[in-house]
Amino acid sequence: KAGVTQTPRYLIKTRGQQVTLSCSPISGHRSVSWYQQTPGQGLQFLFEYFSETQRNKGNFPGRFSGRQFSNSRSEMNVSTLELGDSALYLCASSLGTPQETQYFGPGTRLLVL
Amino acid sequence: QKEVEQNSGPLSVPEGAIASLNCTYSDRGSQSFFWYRQYSGKSPELIMFIYSNGDKEDGRFTAQLNKASQYVSLLIRDSQPSDSATYLCAVNTNDYKLSFGAGTTVTVRA
């Protein structure tokens, strides 16, 4: 099976712009989770989607949003980018129950200038 | 109090030695526990998961879980230079998210 894919892999934006990141889960996986990883804060949970419904959301401002499509692919959007949004954004997929392992994609490295 | 805490690193061990990594969690309702390995510049990859109290072995890796003490550990036996990475402890509390520790960086000296 193909793994989790994320596009783009690298992105450079300027403050105030917005960005959309995409994630395609492993075939058959219906849950997609998004995480932000920074050197200072580590891996932090953004949100999780299952069958197009957001089931949980982390403590991030409303500038961070996401959605999931009927084919389980997911997108996350960050509006009005700030310098502090520079991070590695990771997507993980699983079958959808809490006990299931989450498998990570390669990530999108975002640099905000 | 952080949800998941790991022993601070970095941890340096000689090749062939045992590396011991520890993790504690705050939510007693946590049900599933994972160890991920992350090489520099890469994404986390699963090493092991454990759900029940006791030990679980997979090759050179052994995970140990003690729910009463809210403690999970990972032992790496016969450590190899390729084991040099950051190890992340993750806990799932049945609310569809993983909470991660800050990670412990392991260096295996040849």
Side-chain angles (χ1 to χ4, degrees):
Chain A
K1 274 186 180 178
V4 179
T5 58
Q6 291 187 246
T7 57
R9 294 293 310 278
Y10 303 93
L11 210 48
I12 299 176
K13 291 286 188 179
T14 55
R15 278 184 300 173
Q17 287 187 310
Q18 74 165 18
V19 66
T20 300
L21 312 181
S22 181
C23 171
S24 292
I26 293 170
S27 178
H29 285 189
R30 295 168 65 190
S31 168
V32 172
S33 299
W34 289 89
Y35 297 86
Q36 180 195 66
Q37 187 174 34
T38 59
Q41 299 297 318
L43 260 164
Q44 294 188 286
F45 172 77
L46 280 157
F47 27 66
E48 188 265 1
Y49 288 89
F50 180 84
S51 293
E52 302 178 69
T53 299
Q54 186 183 86
R55 294 193 296 189
N56 201 350
K57 187 178 189 304
N59 295 323
F60 278 83
R63 300 184 296 108
F64 292 81
S65 63
R67 59 178 176 168
Q68 186 181 36
F69 302 96
S70 58
N71 61 357
S72 295
R73 190 178 68 86
S74 178
E75 289 181 348
M76 68 163 281
N77 184 78
V78 188
S79 63
T80 318
L81 284 166
E82 300 177 358
L83 296 179
D85 297 333
S86 294
L88 179 65
Y89 290 88
L90 292 160
C91 159
S93 78
S94 75
L95 291 172
T97 62
Q99 292 76 22
E100 293 290 339
T101 298
Q102 294 188 18
Y103 296 92
F104 285 86
T108 294
R109 191 164 294 281
L110 172 65
L111 177 61
V112 182
L113 301 175
Chain B
Q1 183 187 9
K2 290 187 178 179
E3 293 179 339
V4 181
E5 300 208 42
Q6 295 184 237
N7 52 325
S8 59
L11 179 65
S12 180
V13 298
E15 186 173 356
I18 295 175
S20 178
L21 307 173
N22 302 317
C23 173
T24 57
Y25 58 94
S26 60
D27 190 332
R28 281 198 174 275
S30 301
Q31 293 293 320
S32 47
F33 308 85
F34 305 85
W35 283 100
Y36 287 86
R37 176 176 63 198
Q38 187 173 26
Y39 291 113
S40 181
K42 302 293 186 182
S43 62
E45 58 177 331
L46 180 75
I47 298 176
M48 294 190 69
F49 61 85
I50 186 166
Y51 304 146
S52 305
N53 279 329
D55 296 358
K56 180 181 179 182
E57 188 174 315
D58 184 0
R60 297 186 294 110
F61 298 95
T62 299
Q64 299 173 317
L65 175 62
N66 183 325
K67 289 186 178 180
S69 300
Q70 295 176 240
Y71 172 92
V72 58
S73 67
L74 179 71
L75 296 177
I76 307 173
R77 292 184 303 281
D78 187 25
S79 295
Q80 302 297 308
S82 59
D83 295 327
S84 297
T86 296
Y87 290 80
L88 298 163
C89 172
V91 176
N92 194 315
T93 55
N94 283 341
D95 58 358
Y96 309 111
K97 77 170 191 180
L98 283 179
S99 295
F100 284 85
T104 299
T105 298
V106 174
T107 301
V108 180
R109 310 186 304 271

